[in-house]
């Protein structure tokens, strides 16, 4: 029988065993390094799947109930000003819609951070419950009680929507990378769909059955949709083991010139963005259009906003409401504004997310960007209402909103130029490095 050769002495045997042990330990350490948080394995995105598209649908429905509700405020603005809260000016009433929209965005600074820490379900379900409670409380608001409407509709619903808004968009990035812009665009279009259906329902109920019936119907609709939306959405990736400190994030992001220009563009653009949403229906009523027409001007605007949010490209023009007196002029303005603004807003989400250098920055980048843009949403409507005055001088707020929107677009153009120059510099550096390696 043949035998394996034995080591010549115990020392050799011990050395051999130690070498094997060290080899095994080295292999084990290498595996641990590959899987450790400090050396993460590159993430693989399914780019869809049942859970992915169910999450997109759930996020779409959250947008239907969130910004879809905010974008329907033009119906409330017209009804409050002319029927339900006649003891307050249009500028004061617009604070309800302005605070609602701005809080939906401001809270993103907190909800985005909590999303990064793994509190997605807490934010989404908590926000849904708060939103449902505030919607039903709004049903109890009395005529000429501005603060009841402000607290329930403006502040309460705004905070609730802000808790859900950013997490339901950011969670889409768990499933998509190459198709992320498409998925986020579909999600963003949910707000336009909500602002098509809700104004039709509200206009018909407010003017036939009164405020309470309309508020109850709207609360019941959104309650059912929110429950379905929360049940559909699922996270896929664990929270990052470490998060960038907020101060560090601010310092890092502030050195990204293109990101800064993008955030400034969102702030300035938002100041002018909400004017047609809040005032176009009131404008149509004051110009004597029939109820059959003015009820659907806001709906037409949001239909084309929906199409704009689903369309490719980057259109960011803005049309003021100067000279809108006839049915045709209002419809043309609604179509142009709706389409262009819808395209702009739908691409804001993937735009901010695209600046992230890794997955742990997505929530922070989007949260900071949207929080800054909330400043415009907060002050825009009230300033435009003050410019409108009780005499309804329409050209002043139209010029104001148009100028700010165009200034926002100009900053976005600067951002695009900076991104182009950055890519050009990277390509040049890569070409130089390749040439050096060949040499």
């Amino acid at each position: 029988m043949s035998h394996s050769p034995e080591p010549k002495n115990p020392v050799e045997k011990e050395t051999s065993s130690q070498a094997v042990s060290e080899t095994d330990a080295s292999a084990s350490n290498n595996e641990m390094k590959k899987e450790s948080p400090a050396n993460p394995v590159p993430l693989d995105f399914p780019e869809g799947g049942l859970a992915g598209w169910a999450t997109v649908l759930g996020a779409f429905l959250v947008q239907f109930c969130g910004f879809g509700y905010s974008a329907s405020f033009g119906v409330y603005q017209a009804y409050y000003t002319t029927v339900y809260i006649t003891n307050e000016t249009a500028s004061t009433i617009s604070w309800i819609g302005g605070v609602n929209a701005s809080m939906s965005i401001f809270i993103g600074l907190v909800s985005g951070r909590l999303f990064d820490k793994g509190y997605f379900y807490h934010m989404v379900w908590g926000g849904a419950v708060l939103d449902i409670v505030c919607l039903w409380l709004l049903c109890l608001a009395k005529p000429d009680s501005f603060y009841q409407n402000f607290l329930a509709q403006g502040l309460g619903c705004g905070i609730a929507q802000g808790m859900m808004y950013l997490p339901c968009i950011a969670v889409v990035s768990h499933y998509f990378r190459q198709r992320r812009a498409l998925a986020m665009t579909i999600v963003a279009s949910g707000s336009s769909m909500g602002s098509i259906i809700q104004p039709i329902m509200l206009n018909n109920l407010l003017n036939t059955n009164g405020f309470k019936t309309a508020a109850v119907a709207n609360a019941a609709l959104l309650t059912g949709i929110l429950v379905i939306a929360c049940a559909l959405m699922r996270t896929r990736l664990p929270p990052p083991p470490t998060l960038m400190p907020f101060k560090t994030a601010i310092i890092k992001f502030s050195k990204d010139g293109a990101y800064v220009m993008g955030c400034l563009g969102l702030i300035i653009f938002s100041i002018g963005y909400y004017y047609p949403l809040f005032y176009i229906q009131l404008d149509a009523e004051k110009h004597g259009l029939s109820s059959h027409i003015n009820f659907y001007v806001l709906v037409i605007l949001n239909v084309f906003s929906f199409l704009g949010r689903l369309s490719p490209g980057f259109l960011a023009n803005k049309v003021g409401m100067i000279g809108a007196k006839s049915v045709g002029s209002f419809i043309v303005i609604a179509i142009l504004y709706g389409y262009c603004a819808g395209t702009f807003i739908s691409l804001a989400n993937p735009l901010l997310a695209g600046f992230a250098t890794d997955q742990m920055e997505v929530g922070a980048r989007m949260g900071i960007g949207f929080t800054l843009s909330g400043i415009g949403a907060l002050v825009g409507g009230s300033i435009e209402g003050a410019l409108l005055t009780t005499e309804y001088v329409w050209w002043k707020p139209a010029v104001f909103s148009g100028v700010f929107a165009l200034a926002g677009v100009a900053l976005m153009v600067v951002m695009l130029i900076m991104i182009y120059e950055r890519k050009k510099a990277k390509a040049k550096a890569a070409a130089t490095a390749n040439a050096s390696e060949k040499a």
Side-chain angles (χ1 to χ4, degrees):
M1 293 178 66
S2 63
H3 298 278
S4 299
E6 294 288 337
K8 293 181 180 179
N9 56 59
V11 175
E12 183 180 345
K13 183 174 182 180
E14 182 179 350
T15 304
S16 177
S17 299
Q18 184 178 357
V20 172
S21 177
E22 288 177 352
T23 302
D24 292 342
S26 176
S28 177
N29 287 336
N30 287 337
E31 291 299 320
M32 290 176 65
K33 286 180 180 179
K34 288 179 182 178
E35 296 175 359
S36 67
N39 300 276
V41 178
L43 295 177
D44 182 28
F45 293 85
E47 302 297 339
L50 179 60
W53 288 114
T55 298
V56 168
L57 176 58
F60 174 94
L61 295 176
V62 169
Q63 295 299 304
F64 180 103
C65 300
F67 267 104
Y69 184 78
S70 300
S72 304
F73 183 74
V75 177
Y76 288 105
Q77 177 76 35
Y79 186 78
Y80 290 163
T81 303
T82 58
V83 178
Y84 208 68
I85 312 180
T86 55
N87 61 331
E88 300 289 352
T89 64
S91 177
T92 301
I93 291 171
S94 71
W95 278 101
I96 299 174
V99 169
N100 177 279
S102 62
M103 292 305 294
S104 298
I105 302 170
F106 279 147
I107 301 300
L109 189 61
V110 177
S111 64
R113 190 69 173 174
L114 290 174
F115 171 81
D116 288 339
K117 290 184 176 182
Y119 291 99
F120 170 77
Y121 296 107
H122 302 75
M123 298 303 296
V124 170
W125 279 103
V129 170
L130 178 59
D131 200 21
I132 290 168
V133 170
C134 291
L135 286 168
W136 286 102
L137 286 176
L138 181 63
C139 304
L140 305 176
K142 304 297 182 183
D144 294 327
S145 299
F146 168 78
Y147 286 103
Q148 292 181 0
N149 294 74
F150 175 81
L151 291 173
Q153 186 175 16
L155 193 61
C157 288
I159 292 173
Q161 291 161 14
M163 291 172 66
M164 298 182 288
Y165 175 64
L166 191 55
C168 83
I169 291 178
V171 75
V172 172
S173 67
H174 282 200
Y175 295 90
F176 299 89
R177 169 163 283 176
Q178 299 299 325
R179 305 168 74 182
R180 183 176 294 175
L182 171 63
M184 287 188 171
T185 297
I186 293 172
V187 170
S189 67
S191 62
S192 290
M193 183 61 71
S195 58
I196 292 169
I197 294 174
Q198 292 182 72
I200 293 175
M201 180 183 72
L202 289 169
N203 271 319
N204 283 280
L205 292 176
L206 284 171
N207 293 277
T208 56
N209 301 90
F211 176 79
K212 185 172 183 179
T213 301
V216 167
N218 204 29
L221 173 68
L222 298 191
T223 296
I225 292 176
L226 282 172
V227 171
I228 294 171
C230 291
L232 284 171
M233 292 184 290
R234 290 288 182 274
T235 58
R236 188 181 72 91
L237 302 176
T242 57
L243 288 177
M244 183 184 299
F246 184 72
K247 183 178 180 181
T248 304
I250 292 291
I251 294 173
K252 178 181 179 180
F253 300 165
S254 65
K255 294 178 181 179
D256 187 341
Y259 178 77
V260 171
M261 287 295 105
C263 290
L264 290 175
L266 285 175
I267 296 173
I268 302 301
F269 183 82
S270 295
I271 293 175
Y273 173 73
Y274 289 93
Y275 171 56
L277 290 175
F278 286 4
Y279 291 103
I280 193 169
Q281 182 168 324
L282 179 62
D283 191 356
E285 288 184 15
K286 292 299 181 180
H287 279 93
L289 272 68
S290 70
S291 60
H292 297 293
I293 298 298
N294 63 48
F295 283 2
Y296 292 100
V297 169
L298 182 61
V299 174
I300 293 170
L301 183 155
N302 286 316
V303 166
F304 280 87
S305 178
F306 175 75
L307 296 176
R309 294 184 190 214
L310 287 177
S311 299
F314 193 87
L315 301 175
N317 197 9
K318 173 77 180 292
V319 181
M321 291 195 286
I322 299 175
K325 297 180 180 179
S326 65
V327 173
S329 62
F330 274 102
I331 292 176
V332 168
I333 286 171
I335 291 172
L336 292 177
Y337 170 82
Y339 186 86
C340 296
T343 303
F344 182 93
I345 294 300
S346 71
L347 293 179
N349 298 317
L351 171 69
L352 293 173
F355 282 107
T357 56
D358 56 56
Q359 187 67 25
M360 72 173 63
E361 285 187 9
V362 172
R365 292 269 189 179
M366 294 177 70
I368 292 171
F370 280 121
T371 298
L372 294 174
S373 71
I375 298 172
L378 178 63
V379 304
S382 59
I383 293 174
E384 289 147 4
L387 292 171
L388 183 61
T389 72
T390 55
E391 302 298 322
Y392 297 106
V393 183
W394 294 102
W395 70 267
K396 291 181 180 180
V399 170
F400 174 85
S401 63
V403 167
F404 270 84
L406 288 173
V409 171
L411 289 170
M412 288 290 181
V413 171
V414 174
M415 175 202 70
L416 291 174
I417 293 172
M418 295 177 74
I419 291 174
Y420 172 77
E421 292 296 329
R422 180 187 298 173
K423 290 182 177 180
K424 187 177 178 181
K426 285 183 178 179
K428 184 177 180 180
T432 302
N434 290 334
S436 300
E437 288 178 1
K438 291 178 180 179

